Amino acid sequence: MLNEVFSGTIAVVGMGYIGLPTATVLATRGIQVIGVDVNPRIVEAISRGETPFIEPDLAVAVSGAVAMGRLSMSRDMPEADAFIIAVPTPFNPDHTADLSYVQAAAENIATKLRPGNIVVLESTSPPGTTEKVSRWIGAVRPDLRMPHVVGASADIYVAHCPERVLPGRIMIEMVTNNRVVGGLTSSCAIKAASIYRVFAQGEILLTDAASAEMAKLVENAYRDVNIAFANELSLITESLRLDIWEVIRLANQHPRVNVLSPGPGVGGHCIPVDPWFIVAAAPDLAKLIRTAREVNDHKPHHVADQVIAKAGRFRSPSIACLGLTFKANVDDIRESPAIDVVSLIANALPEVEIMVADPYVEELPPKLQSNANLRLVNAGDAVDQADIIVLLVEHDAFKALRHTRHNGKVIYDTRGAWA
């Protein structure tokens, strides 16, 4: 039973950056998968074998899974042998977790459950959320014995398996990374692990649900704290007129030092969000984690202030902002600090022409569409026409522009790509 490999039908709820790759990896390994999403455009696109976002190797895998008949799509919750919840968990204005999407998914799944089914929460969540999933299901289906009530004799297996992949490498890391599977009971963890044993080459680590939830938050808070250290160093070295990239290069020659690279802030769905869940769980104790979040959240304001000050040197400046995504070579703009920087500059300098370039973005994000002084252009044109060039994302396409057409221009490289 410990080495059991799942066989049956799986419904994956939420066809986003984690749900779709998870569904595809399972489908390409012979599992019958039904993807569920409330967005009709996403359902229709995937049904045609198309991907709604860019991720290396995903498009071929999706088209193949659909062509083989292993991956189908639905807007309605189907019956299945197992359900994976991969919906968003944003934070509220007070930085507590918004679990409304998880609750809605759990309650919809509840209507289709049969004894012996498995429910896995993959959405990153505060400790205790997996137990809430069991409670939400139990409230809809009082006829089912749920693990939070009866333990090992439950009819339904409920567990948490947090995703831990890097955009741009999702299809590789989905398979090769170790996975943590936490159950509300040990039998819940074992049953859920059978799903990941279908494709996971890394080790599958079994634990309790709350520990699995906390481990994921710790992973991202660890990264956030270390990035905050680098970002704070960049502010200090800037004030001392030192080259942050040279300082970090030298410091990292020490065998036990590995300072990360600073940037214009921290983006993506995980790192800017998840540490707040720890802070909310223990607000009086999470002092370092809170401070790291504040340092990183402030960085876009600092970058914008520096660009605005540089613009004051010109009578009628034009500014090129290179990059809108949260990291290099992906189309993911979730929580992107680059968007915040551009928005702050555009709002502060409404009469200044600001050109924005990003090879992975086809239209300005909603946050920027009301700014009349912004326009999306080709990177080469932006660099040619601008007085001030702000590098916000180190896309490979931008690295190719290094040391070309920069004569007489003010360069503000927030990523060190042109250092």
Side-chain angles (χ1 to χ4, degrees):
M1 187 174 181
L2 277 172
N3 295 317
E4 178 184 357
V5 179
F6 178 87
S7 62
T9 300
I10 298 178
V12 179
V13 185
M15 289 285 99
Y17 286 87
I18 299 302
L20 179 55
T22 300
T24 305
V25 168
L26 286 163
T28 54
R29 282 156 178 80
I31 298 295
Q32 200 67 39
V33 181
I34 305 167
V36 183
D37 203 283
V38 297
N39 189 325
R41 288 181 298 175
I42 290 177
V43 171
E44 292 164 7
I46 298 172
S47 295
R48 295 191 299 267
E50 301 170 2
T51 54
F53 53 88
I54 298 172
E55 177 63 34
D57 303 321
L58 178 61
V60 172
V62 169
S63 62
V66 172
M68 289 188 298
R70 291 292 184 182
L71 175 61
S72 59
M73 292 294 299
S74 175
R75 291 181 63 188
D76 300 316
M77 193 65 65
E79 289 189 349
D81 301 298
F83 299 82
I84 295 175
I85 300 173
V87 297
T89 49
F91 55 70
N92 295 309
D94 64 354
H95 292 139
T96 57
D98 177 359
L99 299 178
S100 59
Y101 299 103
V102 175
Q103 182 174 358
E107 291 173 347
N108 285 329
I109 288 169
T111 64
K112 301 296 183 179
L113 286 176
R114 304 183 302 264
N117 284 176
I118 305 167
V119 179
V120 180
L121 174 65
E122 281 210 10
S123 306
T124 304
S125 308
T129 305
T130 305
E131 182 175 332
K132 288 181 178 179
V133 167
S134 184
R135 292 180 183 276
W136 289 327
I137 292 172
V140 176
R141 292 289 302 277
D143 57 305
L144 294 173
R145 295 176 298 168
M146 299 302 297
H148 72 278
V149 177
V150 300
S153 61
D155 294 326
I156 305 297
Y157 302 98
V158 183
H160 180 61
C161 181
E163 57 84 11
R164 43 169 32 174
V165 291
L166 182 70
R169 288 181 51 85
I170 290 177
M171 298 304 287
I172 297 171
E173 296 194 357
M174 184 81 67
V175 174
T176 60
N177 285 358
N178 295 345
R179 297 301 293 255
V180 176
V181 180
L184 292 184
T185 65
S186 58
S187 57
C188 288
I190 291 169
K191 279 289 186 180
S194 72
I195 296 173
Y196 297 92
R197 207 167 279 117
V198 170
F199 62 84
Q201 297 174 1
E203 186 177 357
I204 297 176
L205 308 168
L206 303 186
T207 185
D208 62 277
S211 293
E213 291 163 336
M214 188 64 175
K216 169 63 177 179
L217 303 183
V218 168
E219 291 170 14
N220 287 324
Y222 174 85
R223 292 277 296 167
D224 198 41
V225 168
N226 281 273
I227 294 170
F229 177 72
N231 278 336
E232 189 167 278
L233 278 182
S234 73
L235 302 180
I236 295 168
T237 54
E238 187 175 280
S239 71
L240 298 175
R241 299 181 181 276
L242 297 173
D243 182 345
I244 181 60
W245 312 107
E246 177 69 0
V247 170
I248 290 176
R249 183 185 73 83
L250 295 172
N252 282 348
Q253 300 305 307
H254 190 288
R256 289 175 295 280
V257 173
N258 182 28
V259 180
L260 301 181
S261 297
V266 176
H269 176 63
C270 293
I271 297 179
V273 177
D274 300 350
W276 286 119
F277 297 168
I278 299 179
V279 174
D284 294 333
L285 300 175
K287 297 177 182 178
L288 177 62
I289 296 171
R290 182 195 298 274
T291 299
R293 271 287 73 233
E294 292 170 349
V295 168
N296 288 333
D297 278 350
H298 173 70
K299 193 65 188 294
H301 295 268
H302 175 79
V303 172
D305 288 344
Q306 294 297 306
V307 175
I308 292 164
K310 295 177 191 301
R313 305 175 190 173
F314 297 83
R315 179 175 297 175
S316 181
S318 61
I319 301 172
C321 292
L322 305 185
L324 286 174
T325 63
F326 90 88
K327 69 185 295 287
N329 305 320
V330 301
D331 67 346
D332 194 344
I333 62 172
R334 291 177 297 174
E335 306 295 331
S336 174
I339 294 175
D340 292 336
V341 171
V342 173
S343 176
L344 290 165
I345 297 171
N347 290 334
L349 303 173
E351 304 302 320
V352 172
E353 178 190 32
I354 301 172
M355 295 166 286
V356 183
D358 194 304
Y360 295 90
V361 176
E362 295 181 354
E363 63 179 7
L364 289 174
K367 185 174 182 177
L368 303 179
Q369 290 177 1
S370 62
N371 293 100
N373 57 333
L374 285 176
R375 60 188 178 101
L376 196 62
V377 301
N378 173 271
D381 293 339
V383 168
D384 283 343
Q385 299 170 26
D387 300 302
I388 301 170
I389 303 170
V390 187
L391 182 65
L392 296 169
V393 185
E394 67 277 32
H395 291 311
D396 288 344
F398 297 158
K399 291 180 181 179
L401 297 174
R402 180 182 181 184
H403 299 322
T404 62
R405 305 189 291 247
H406 293 177
N407 290 339
K409 301 178 186 291
V410 175
I411 309 297
Y412 190 12
D413 180 359
T414 69
R415 295 288 188 173
W418 292 343

